[in-house]
Amino acid sequence: DQQVKQNSPSLSVQEGRISILNCDYTNSMFDYFLWYKKYPAEGPTFLISISSIKDKNEDGRFTVFLNKSAKHLSLHIVPSQPGDSAVYFCAASLDFNKFYFGSGTKLNVKP
Amino acid sequence: DTAVSQTPKYLVTQMGNDKSIKCEQNLGHDTMYWYKQDSKKFLKIMFSYNNKELIINETVPNRFSPKSPDKAHLNLHINSLELGDSAVYFCASSQEATSSYNEQFFGPGTRLTVL
């Protein structure tokens, strides 16, 4: 009964191209969404977030899109760089402190 | 100058033992969390404390007992360890999280292996 799902366990992209990571959720009450990035042997670090009142949020090379009707979230990285290679987790919340995480997508950016 | 630190990083122990994992944050945050990353890689919240007060207690066996001596520390004690407790445990903290959304800062994780 995972409420946040990342159906692609891995993604491989050429350096300079766009990386698109996807996330689906089941609970329509979620109103805040985040993406975290995780390197091996480290904890997740916050990347970008979006409130449900928006459908897009941009921060440099990272853009998060929210499609509430489809209950779908995506993270676009452009251009992708080898240093972006990591595991990306999406998370969703409806009550400020309890976040539901997906299982992560491992991104490999090839030089 | 680590923001959120956990000790130990690795913990290997026998079934039935009791063990503790310590967590400290130097960010001045009010809220701290424990997450478990299971074999399917999902990060699942276990507990959350705000200013030393328990605010989230998920369906976790009562063999797991969090303790917050002050708002900079949240320790996790596990009694009678079982094989299924093997996982990576992450501590996290955030600014006050009862009235607004704030990003969580994670520690490096503690890999617990129960033999």
Side-chain angles (χ1 to χ4, degrees):
Chain A
D1 64 337
Q2 298 300 333
Q3 299 191 52
V4 177
K5 295 179 183 178
Q6 294 175 255
N7 293 318
S8 297
S10 63
L11 174 68
S12 190
V13 170
Q14 203 66 39
E15 181 179 6
R17 305 294 289 268
I18 185 171
S19 295
I20 300 176
L21 296 105
N22 294 305
C23 178
D24 296 297
Y25 60 94
T26 57
N27 191 337
S28 58
M29 299 299 291
F30 286 142
D31 60 2
Y32 195 73
F33 304 86
L34 309 92
W35 284 94
Y36 281 82
K37 176 179 179 179
K38 183 184 180 304
Y39 291 117
E42 295 182 11
T45 55
F46 171 74
L47 195 56
I48 193 169
S49 63
I50 188 167
S51 163
S52 61
I53 62 173
K54 294 184 175 182
D55 54 19
K56 177 182 173 181
N57 189 24
E58 196 170 349
D59 183 1
R61 297 184 297 111
F62 302 91
T63 303
V64 56
F65 294 92
L66 176 61
N67 182 334
K68 289 186 287 293
S69 60
K71 297 194 188 74
H72 180 80
L73 189 68
S74 63
L75 175 69
H76 291 210
I77 307 172
V78 55
S80 301
Q81 299 173 353
D84 296 330
S85 296
V87 177
Y88 290 79
F89 290 93
C90 69
S93 182
L94 49 76
D95 63 359
F96 302 130
N97 55 60
K98 186 172 174 182
F99 289 87
Y100 295 84
F101 282 80
S103 54
T105 296
K106 186 174 183 179
L107 174 66
N108 179 32
V109 180
K110 296 179 285 188
Chain B
D1 58 347
T2 305
V4 182
S5 59
Q6 295 178 229
T7 53
K9 198 169 174 70
Y10 299 96
L11 184 53
V12 181
T13 188
Q14 299 287 334
M15 254 191 336
N17 284 349
D18 303 339
K19 291 292 178 187
S20 292
I21 307 172
K22 295 185 177 181
C23 178
E24 176 180 1
Q25 55 95 4
N26 61 6
L27 298 166
H29 288 164
D30 295 308
T31 308
M32 295 186 73
Y33 312 80
W34 275 110
Y35 284 86
K36 179 181 180 180
Q37 186 177 29
D38 60 23
S39 57
K40 295 183 180 177
K41 305 300 182 186
F42 287 98
L43 270 165
K44 294 183 181 177
I45 189 157
M46 301 171 69
F47 302 102
S48 173
Y49 271 72
N50 187 66
N51 278 320
K52 302 190 333 178
E53 184 180 339
L54 181 66
I55 55 173
I56 292 177
N57 185 352
E58 285 300 281
T59 310
V60 175
N62 57 16
R63 298 182 294 104
F64 290 77
S65 53
K67 285 188 172 49
S68 182
D70 54 62
K71 73 175 195 177
H73 295 85
L74 181 62
N75 304 323
L76 183 65
H77 189 76
I78 316 171
N79 287 330
S80 303
L81 278 155
E82 299 178 357
L83 293 176
D85 298 333
S86 295
V88 182
Y89 292 84
F90 288 97
C91 176
S93 72
S94 71
Q95 291 179 350
E96 190 273 336
T98 57
S99 60
S100 63
Y101 285 113
N102 290 297
E103 66 177 276
Q104 296 177 8
F105 292 76
F106 283 81
T110 296
R111 182 174 291 277
L112 171 65
T113 303
V114 182
L115 304 175

